[in-house]
Amino acid sequence: MEYILSFIVGGVICVIGQIMMDATKLTAPRVLVILVVSGAILQALGIYQPLVDLAGTGARIPLPGFGYNLAKGAIEGVSKGLLGVVTGGLKAAAGGIAVAIGWGYLMALIFDPKSIR
């Protein structure tokens, strides 16, 4: 049942992003920012954590999950003062950021990136 819930929640999040790109004139980077910021806002309001508890990686992996992770780290860093607020989110998301940079670099080495005109 965990896999089904994870698949459904992750799929619904991705469908929301796709609908935002298809039904509006929003570009993909703007949709990305909207989804990440919405995850952070929902975590700050205490709404995203129950979704993560329900769906696990289905809620953590899509873009709102990145915002959730940043906000959760910042909230936990509050007890360490102003510097903890700033560094808490980065520490919480460091693994995902490192993997994204590493895979992006590897793909750039393997494939020949070309600009589309």
Side-chain angles (χ1 to χ4, degrees):
M1 192 63 180
E2 289 178 43
Y3 295 123
I4 294 170
L5 282 173
S6 181
F7 178 78
I8 290 171
V9 170
V12 166
I13 292 170
C14 293
V15 166
I16 290 169
Q18 190 65 48
I19 289 171
M20 288 171 66
M21 285 190 287
D22 292 345
T24 66
K25 293 185 180 190
L26 292 172
T27 60
R30 288 188 177 160
V31 171
L32 179 143
V33 170
I34 290 168
L35 290 173
V36 171
V37 170
S38 67
I41 291 170
L42 290 173
Q43 173 58 20
L45 297 174
I47 298 170
Y48 206 79
Q49 185 63 49
L51 187 62
V52 169
D53 294 340
L54 174 73
T57 56
R60 280 192 216 116
I61 298 298
L63 291 170
F66 183 69
Y68 150 79
N69 205 12
L70 287 171
K72 185 176 178 186
I75 291 167
E76 290 171 358
V78 167
S79 63
K80 297 176 184 167
L82 182 61
L83 188 60
V85 172
V86 175
T87 61
L90 292 176
K91 285 182 183 178
I97 294 169
V99 168
I101 291 171
W103 278 104
Y105 180 71
L106 183 64
M107 293 300 117
L109 290 176
I110 294 172
F111 300 102
D112 184 26
K114 297 179 178 111
S115 64
I116 299 172
R117 291 185 182 197

